[in-house]
Amino acid sequence: MPRIQPFTGLVYAPSAGDPTALTAPPYDAITDEERQAYLAANPHNVVRLILGDEHRGDDDRENKYTRAGALLRTWREAGVLVETPEPSVFVYEMAFERDGPRRVRGLIAAIELEPFGEGIVPHERTMPGPIDDRLRLIRQARANLSPVYAVLRGPCPPQRAVIERAGARRPDLEATDPSGVVHRLWIEPGIPEELVQAYAGESLLIADGHHRYTTALAYREEMREAHGPGPWDAMMLLVVEAVEDPPVLPIHRVIRGADVPAPGFAVGSLEEALRIVSDEDLRFAVATSNGDGVSFRVARLDGGDPPTVVAIHDRILSRYPEAEVGFEADAERAVAAAAGGATTYLLPPTHVDAIRAVIERGDRLPQKSTWFWPKPRTGMVIRPLD
């Protein structure tokens, strides 16, 4: 069962600059071009910690991970990052436009680590490479640099009460990301006992951060063996209620190395294709090169339940083990790959309840299946593990 705790966080001091120029998306949502822009935005941008430079001659003693750890310590000593006055939970809001004004609100807190199961529920498979990368970073930084994003099963009145109380005053930090999403953070000292009790009977679905959560589990075991219990027994999570209905956008499939089918009826443009695709009836689009540009078709898989990405893998891609499947959340970049000779399957958005249904029948989604959006900014608050 999830156990929620407050923690003493690290936040940027006002003198460090505008949080917009100091924060960044999660490390795995940053392109090389975006990384360069964040590096240029402010000398203290958090991207220097989560995606540091590699240098010629790096070895086990000095590398981007050791430099990240040293940089974090320097920023703390210099007062760039300062501790919250006492252990707190952190109300987090993402305000954005999607079919009108919307917002997603939740709590950032420390959640006691437990293996994946009924209390902490994954929905995607993980890969060893990213886990090794993040494990090398946490060993040196000794901090949760970015929150794992999780969703409660339903409403949580004690959490809503904390959010409403904080939202009545000005936020302690505010940043606007390049897509126009406004990120707000409120520091709320302590934690109500009724919230602790409410979480004890909950189930948290990991929305984003499967690799970071798995890394935290591995780090906990290392540290327990060396030092016993400690702050590494918990992980920083942003938890929202399912009733917040966070948008779950698709990650499209870019397929090379196999002659996969391109079924369906022709449509005239990417915009038309994206208007027609639908998760409810497993309707997806296919983009292929026609020599002069890209052709689009829309197809539907008969029978079965959403999410469409599961049906695509089970009923089409599983027949082509030789296929090289790439992942692209941006539809225009996915179509550009089709222009270069790939076959691109353009998928519809889905919903949290469809993901829960997959988990409840004992399955997981394929890797890189969902793009929960917006994503919380890394650097709004950091949880040290020293």
Side-chain angles (χ1 to χ4, degrees):
M1 63 180 184
R3 294 181 173 87
I4 184 172
Q5 310 162 4
F7 65 90
T8 300
L10 297 174
V11 296
Y12 278 107
S15 58
D18 182 354
T20 294
L22 293 164
T23 58
Y27 80 101
D28 55 352
I30 302 174
T31 67
D32 290 340
E33 182 180 359
E34 290 167 343
R35 178 179 172 276
Q36 293 303 319
Y38 287 119
L39 287 172
N42 188 292
H44 300 119
N45 188 284
V46 74
V47 80
R48 286 178 164 78
L49 303 179
I50 60 174
L51 283 177
D53 285 319
E54 294 184 353
H55 297 168
R56 182 178 297 179
D58 279 354
D59 54 27
D60 289 342
R61 291 177 298 174
E62 183 172 348
N63 49 59
K64 63 180 180 179
Y65 308 108
T66 61
R67 286 191 290 272
L71 190 59
L72 179 57
R73 290 188 288 276
T74 297
W75 288 357
R76 294 179 69 176
E77 292 166 0
V80 173
L81 290 166
V82 295
E83 292 185 357
T84 56
E86 57 186 295
S88 304
V89 293
F90 303 82
V91 173
Y92 197 92
E93 177 184 275
M94 296 175 283
F96 55 97
E97 290 283 336
R98 185 171 176 82
D99 301 323
R102 291 191 56 184
R103 64 181 179 181
V104 172
R105 300 180 300 171
L107 279 185
I108 294 178
I111 304 294
E112 186 172 318
L113 286 162
E114 57 183 86
F116 289 132
E118 293 184 3
I120 305 291
V121 181
H123 77 270
E124 290 185 349
R125 297 177 177 90
T126 57
M127 297 172 285
I131 294 170
D132 178 68
D133 169 61
R134 293 298 97 177
L135 187 55
R136 295 179 69 185
L137 178 59
I138 197 173
R139 285 170 179 155
Q140 298 298 329
R142 297 195 292 274
N144 297 152
L145 298 173
S146 181
V148 168
Y149 186 2
V151 182
L152 293 163
R153 281 180 299 194
C156 181
Q159 174 158 314
R160 183 59 58 89
V162 174
I163 291 171
E164 296 289 350
R165 183 171 66 246
R169 59 180 173 82
R170 291 174 61 87
D172 294 292
L173 288 171
E174 181 172 308
T176 303
D177 71 26
S179 62
V181 180
V182 180
H183 300 256
R184 300 183 176 101
L185 182 103
W186 291 263
I187 302 169
E188 283 289 300
I191 188 169
E193 180 58 30
E194 57 267 27
L195 181 59
V196 175
Q197 295 301 321
Y199 266 65
E202 264 294 347
S203 172
L204 303 183
L205 174 71
I206 300 295
D208 187 63
H210 291 79
H211 291 99
R212 280 170 278 150
Y213 189 90
T214 305
T215 297
L217 286 171
Y219 184 68
R220 179 190 69 171
E221 295 311 303
E222 289 184 358
M223 295 300 286
R224 277 184 171 179
E225 184 175 348
H227 304 288
W232 40 81
D233 290 331
M235 173 72 188
M236 179 172 66
L237 269 69
L238 165 64
V239 184
V240 306
E241 300 169 76
V243 293
E244 293 278 340
D245 194 25
V248 188
L249 306 185
I251 299 180
H252 309 294
R253 270 40 190 165
V254 177
I255 305 151
R256 298 181 175 88
D259 189 17
V260 295
F265 60 90
V267 297
S269 66
L270 171 61
E271 292 74 18
E272 184 179 1
L274 295 179
R275 283 198 304 269
I276 297 173
V277 297
S278 169
D279 203 47
E280 283 69 23
D281 59 2
L282 308 184
R283 204 181 314 149
F284 65 101
V286 187
T288 55
S289 173
N290 59 19
D292 296 323
V294 176
S295 295
F296 299 93
R297 305 182 71 84
V298 172
R300 179 176 176 270
L301 295 172
D302 293 326
D305 299 314
T308 304
V309 65
V310 174
I312 289 284
H313 276 262
D314 289 349
R315 296 158 64 177
I316 298 179
L317 296 182
S318 63
R319 305 202 306 264
Y320 300 89
E322 73 279 14
E324 299 175 6
V325 181
F327 313 103
E328 181 54 72
D330 183 271
E332 292 186 356
R333 287 199 292 262
V335 169
T343 299
T344 292
Y345 285 0
L346 297 163
L347 303 177
T350 189
H351 294 279
V352 173
D353 55 357
I355 297 170
R356 281 269 187 194
V358 172
I359 303 307
E360 288 170 358
R361 64 176 183 252
D363 295 329
R364 288 197 198 181
L365 277 69
Q367 64 184 18
K368 298 291 184 183
S369 288
T370 58
W371 185 265
F372 278 78
W373 184 88
K375 295 184 182 295
R377 299 287 279 181
T378 297
M380 294 291 278
V381 62
I382 291 170
R383 178 174 174 261
L385 299 177
D386 50 20

